[in-house]
């Protein structure tokens, strides 16, 4: 089945230790998104790629970066995780057709010790 | 900027009953899309239903239907014959139209729905 895959599902890191989360998709969608979702809150968009064009939300901390080496893969790098970065990180994809649905992965839950 | 408001943080419903979740939004756009997403506990977010603003007819998907009132900027979700598997967080979301490409979703804060046996 075509899908959005996130690895790992759970990630534990230490305060200040860089961490990378990955997302892959078999939907061949041009657009990929990274969201941060804290407990019982709405997802907050961090950035998105339209093909290789990177779009950073204005309030995304500099501590967060992303890479998209090809259509299928996208990575979220947190350079120096703080306690406040503990959250669920959701990857989503969509086609470029206007108004198309976003398809979400299962998320990676990040714990910062 | 667009905003989406869900005024009911939590709701509960008896199994087999009907429940309506509220959503209002604010936008100056004339063409846009509205979505309801479901996020079950510890499971991934999935689309429940989608509405195109230029369509007057309310979208339906099996037990799920919406009441879209464009003038009032209201987009409520009705779940009929509620099932235990409907227990989840429900997010209302807005997407403005763009002629080329897709635009990010703006989410409401969510409504936690519990279906009680």
């Amino acid at each position: 089945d075509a899908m959005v895959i996130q690895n790992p599902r759970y990630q534990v890191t230490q305060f200040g230790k860089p961490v990378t989360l990955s997302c892959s998709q078999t939907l061949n969608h041009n657009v990929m998104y990274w969201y941060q979702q804290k407990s019982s809150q709405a997802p907050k968009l961090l950035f998105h790629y339209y093909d290789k064009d990177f779009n950073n939300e204005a309030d995304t901390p500099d501590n967060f970066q992303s890479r998209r080496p090809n259509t299928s893969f996208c990575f979220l790098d947190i350079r120096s995780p703080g306690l406040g970065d503990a959250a669920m990180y959701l990857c989503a994809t969509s086609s470029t057709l206007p108004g198309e649905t976003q398809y979400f992965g299962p998320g990676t839950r990040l714990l910062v010790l | 900027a667009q905003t989406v408001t869900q005024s009911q943080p939590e709701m509960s419903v008896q199994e087999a009953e009907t429940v309506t979740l509220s959503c209002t939004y604010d936008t100056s756009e004339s063409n846009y899309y509205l979505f309801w997403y479901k996020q079950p506990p510890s499971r991934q977010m999935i689309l429940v239903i989608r509405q195109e603003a230029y369509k007057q007819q309310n979208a339906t998907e099996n037990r799920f239907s919406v009441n879209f009132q464009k003038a009032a900027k209201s987009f409520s979700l009705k779940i009929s014959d509620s099932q235990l598997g409907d227990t989840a967080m429900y997010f209302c979301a807005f997407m403005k139209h763009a002629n080329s490409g897709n635009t990010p979703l703006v989410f409401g804060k969510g409504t936690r729905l519990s279906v009680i046996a």
Side-chain angles (χ1 to χ4, degrees):
Chain A
D1 287 341
M3 55 199 307
V4 181
I5 302 161
Q6 290 189 246
N7 286 306
R9 295 292 307 277
Y10 299 91
Q11 175 75 56
V12 180
T13 191
Q14 292 179 336
F15 184 95
K17 185 175 181 181
V19 66
T20 295
L21 311 182
S22 73
C23 176
S24 64
Q25 52 126 343
T26 59
L27 296 159
N28 204 31
H29 283 162
N30 287 347
V31 192
M32 293 187 78
Y33 307 82
W34 278 106
Y35 292 89
Q36 180 192 63
Q37 187 180 25
K38 296 190 175 180
S39 182
S40 299
Q41 295 184 21
K44 176 180 179 293
L45 183 65
L46 295 173
F47 18 62
H48 72 281
Y49 281 90
Y50 185 99
D51 287 327
K52 290 190 174 181
D53 291 337
F54 176 72
N55 298 272
N56 196 27
E57 294 301 297
D59 57 354
T60 298
D62 293 339
N63 199 25
F64 291 84
Q65 296 182 334
S66 184
R67 297 169 283 136
R68 188 179 185 186
N70 54 51
T71 301
S72 300
F73 285 87
C74 195
F75 300 97
L76 171 62
D77 301 309
I78 309 176
R79 289 191 296 183
S80 182
L83 298 179
D85 296 327
M88 178 74 87
Y89 290 87
L90 301 175
C91 175
T93 74
S94 71
S95 74
T96 53
L97 292 173
E100 275 300 296
T101 302
Q102 290 186 18
Y103 294 85
F104 286 82
T108 294
R109 184 167 296 283
L110 178 67
L111 180 62
V112 182
L113 300 178
Chain B
Q2 291 77 29
T3 59
V4 177
T5 302
Q6 294 179 249
S7 58
Q8 306 149 314
E10 293 189 21
M11 294 190 72
S12 61
V13 62
Q14 292 285 338
E15 198 175 7
E17 297 294 308
T18 295
V19 64
T20 299
L21 308 184
S22 300
C23 174
T24 58
Y25 57 94
D26 188 24
T27 184
S28 57
E29 304 284 335
S30 59
N31 199 7
Y32 50 87
Y33 310 88
L34 294 163
F35 304 82
W36 278 98
Y37 279 89
K38 167 186 176 181
Q39 189 176 38
S42 302
R43 296 181 64 184
Q44 69 195 83
M45 184 140 21
I46 58 173
L47 178 72
V48 175
I49 200 164
R50 174 181 174 273
Q51 175 81 41
E52 297 168 359
Y54 61 85
K55 289 187 176 179
Q56 291 186 335
Q57 187 172 6
N58 289 324
T60 63
E61 285 289 342
N62 301 315
R63 298 183 294 108
F64 299 88
S65 61
V66 297
N67 183 5
F68 173 48
Q69 302 288 331
K70 191 172 184 179
K73 296 180 181 174
S74 170
F75 183 62
S76 60
L77 174 69
K78 185 171 84 171
I79 306 174
S80 304
D81 186 25
S82 297
Q83 300 176 0
L84 296 178
D86 295 333
T87 293
M89 185 73 105
Y90 287 81
F91 290 100
C92 178
F94 172 99
M95 178 191 292
K96 68 179 183 180
H97 175 81
N99 287 330
S100 61
N102 219 327
T103 58
L105 289 166
V106 177
F107 285 93
K109 291 187 175 182
T111 296
R112 186 176 302 279
L113 177 68
S114 298
V115 180
I116 303 165

